[in-house]
Each structure stands twice: as C-alpha cells, then as structure tokens.
Amino acid sequence: MRNHLSFRSGNPALQSKTFQEGLASSGETMTLEGTINKTSLSLLVLMLTAFYTWNNMSPGLMIFGAIGGFIVAMITIFKKHLAVYTTLIYSGLEGLFLGGISRFYEMQYGDGIVGQAVFLTFSIFVALLFAYKTGIIKPTENFKLGIFAATAGIMLLYLTSFIMSFFGSGLPIMSPSNTSMFSIGFSVFVVVIASLNLVLDFDFIEEGSENGAPKYMEWYGAFGLLVTLVWLYLEILRLLAKLQSRD
C-alpha cells in the first residue's frame, strides 16, 4: 500500500480514511474505468436536471436542489456504501440548483458568462488530469497538507459568511458584485485551491483502484469528483461575475 493513503484530501468527501476503511478482501474491486464511467453518468444526470431549471427557472426548485443536495452529500460522506444509490440523486439535485443559479448569473452579468465558466471548468479538469498523469504535479505530503489547510480555511470563511447573512449580509469579498482587487484576488485564490483539489481526488481514486477498494467506491469516487467540480464551477462563475462587473 502506497504511503500517501495516510494523507488527507482537501475534498470533504475524500478524507484520509476513505479507502483504508473499505479495502476489499474479496469480490469485485474498484477500477479506474468503472469510476470514469460512473462519473460520466453522474455528470449526464446533473446536466439534464440543470437544463430543466435553466429553461424553467424556479427559486423553489433551486432551494430544494441546494438543501437536498447538501443533505444527500452528508449522508454519502458518512455512509459511503450508500454512494451506489445516492450519487445519482446528488447529481440530480445539484443540477436543479446549478441550472437555476447559472440562469441567474447569465441574466445578471451578461450573455456568455455561463458558457465561459463551463469551458474553463472542463479545461482545468483536463489540464490537471494531464498534469497528474504525466507527473508534472505530484501530490506529495506537503502538497496535500497545504491544500487541505487552505481548503479548510476557505470553508471556515464560507461558514462565517453564511452566519453573517442572518444578521444583514455576508462577507463582502464573497459578493459577485464586489469588484475590488482584494475580492477578485480572493476569488482567484479559491479557484486555484478548488482546482488543485482535483489532483488530490485523482490521487485518491487511483489509490483505491490500486489497493483493491470495494466496487461501491467507484460511485463514491465519482461523487467526490462531482463535489469538487461543482465547487470549482461555482467559484469560476463568481470570479467571472466580478470581472464582468468591473468592466
């Protein structure tokens, strides 16, 4: 077993014990091909439901998707074997939220912003997968600890902003209409950290495949990748909105 099984991923869905807890002793095991197939299916479901709320924007469906997606994500994180059932449910619910919020950004900040965000998300995914597979980026212990610490710090800021929103407004740097250089710089930083979490996700999925994780971990690996991709897409959308508002 490779040493980096003991290290953390910044992705809350892929923590240090994710694969250690579920190494299969017999039966079918996790494969890279299986994880890729399940990730593709999950993305397809997400796009289908996103297409619906894009064309039928409904605040109710968006809220249902956001809250429902969060609940399903928590269930999946704590009950990994249920990923076989919950991953596609999570995909569908997140699609409901993403389609609506994407439509809002498109109307608020100009035509083309969503297309740019989708293109950039896909491009970053492909570029980092290539960098990982060719060894250009190597997820060393220090690299992983650094990304985990940065991700934890960002999540703390999200939580602070969420709590502050009950007393008026959230943190100003979170606002898509904040065009200050500090706010834009913060968004760039978050996009970078979200992107680098993809490298850790690739590493964990490869680790599980090499060490005989059980078959259901293919679904869990797909779920983990989806969590990161959704986060990355939303942060790119927020960054583009800030840049559009600055023009």
Side-chain angles (χ1 to χ4, degrees):
M1 186 180 299
R2 284 154 56 184
N3 290 333
H4 58 253
L5 260 179
S6 61
F7 304 147
R8 285 183 175 270
S9 166
N11 187 335
L14 298 177
Q15 294 298 307
S16 59
K17 296 182 180 179
T18 297
F19 291 123
Q20 286 179 316
E21 291 173 350
L23 294 179
S25 58
S26 62
E28 287 190 291
T29 58
M30 179 182 184
T31 65
L32 282 175
E33 182 181 3
T35 306
I36 291 170
N37 291 338
K38 290 170 177 60
T39 301
S40 299
L41 180 59
S42 300
L43 286 172
L44 176 61
V45 171
L46 185 148
M47 288 188 288
L48 288 174
T49 55
F51 181 76
Y52 178 81
T53 48
W54 171 271
N55 291 297
N56 304 276
M57 190 174 176
S58 167
L61 279 178
M62 287 173 57
I63 294 172
F64 173 72
I67 296 176
F70 176 77
I71 293 172
V72 173
M74 291 298 101
I75 293 172
T76 308
I77 290 171
F78 290 105
K79 299 290 183 180
K80 299 175 183 61
H81 63 281
L82 294 180
V84 175
Y85 311 103
T86 59
T87 299
L88 292 183
I89 297 174
Y90 171 79
S91 302
L93 290 169
E94 282 300 306
L96 291 176
F97 170 68
L98 290 181
I101 198 69
S102 297
R103 187 65 172 175
F104 169 78
Y105 269 88
E106 189 81 359
M107 293 188 299
Q108 187 76 16
Y109 298 99
D111 292 341
I113 189 172
V114 170
Q116 294 172 40
V118 171
F119 174 76
L120 286 172
T121 302
F122 178 75
S123 299
I124 289 172
F125 176 84
V126 172
L128 287 178
L129 180 58
F130 174 79
Y132 172 73
K133 296 302 290 184
T134 56
I136 295 174
I137 296 180
K138 296 181 179 180
T140 62
E141 178 181 6
N142 289 336
F143 176 89
K144 293 180 183 184
L145 290 175
I147 298 304
F148 173 75
T151 303
I154 291 169
M155 295 304 165
L156 183 60
L157 284 177
Y158 286 163
L159 179 61
T160 302
S161 184
F162 177 73
I163 294 173
M164 287 177 62
S165 67
F166 288 103
F167 302 94
S169 61
L171 290 173
I173 57 172
M174 298 290 189
S175 173
S177 60
N178 188 336
T179 60
S180 69
M181 291 304 298
F182 180 74
S183 179
I184 291 174
F186 173 76
S187 286
V188 170
F189 173 74
V190 175
V191 167
V192 170
I193 296 302
S195 301
L196 292 177
N197 266 277
L198 287 171
V199 176
L200 305 190
D201 295 346
F202 298 150
D203 191 55
F204 265 79
I205 290 170
E206 185 174 53
E207 184 78 11
S209 301
E210 290 180 356
N211 290 281
K215 194 69 174 176
Y216 70 79
M217 294 301 286
E218 292 178 351
W219 282 107
Y220 192 79
F223 164 74
L225 265 181
L226 208 61
V227 169
T228 302
L229 286 171
V230 167
W231 178 33
L232 176 60
Y233 169 75
L234 288 173
E235 288 303 331
I236 289 176
L237 205 53
R238 193 201 306 263
L239 174 59
L240 291 176
K242 291 179 180 181
L243 294 175
Q244 291 275 48
S245 300
R246 193 175 178 83
D247 292 340

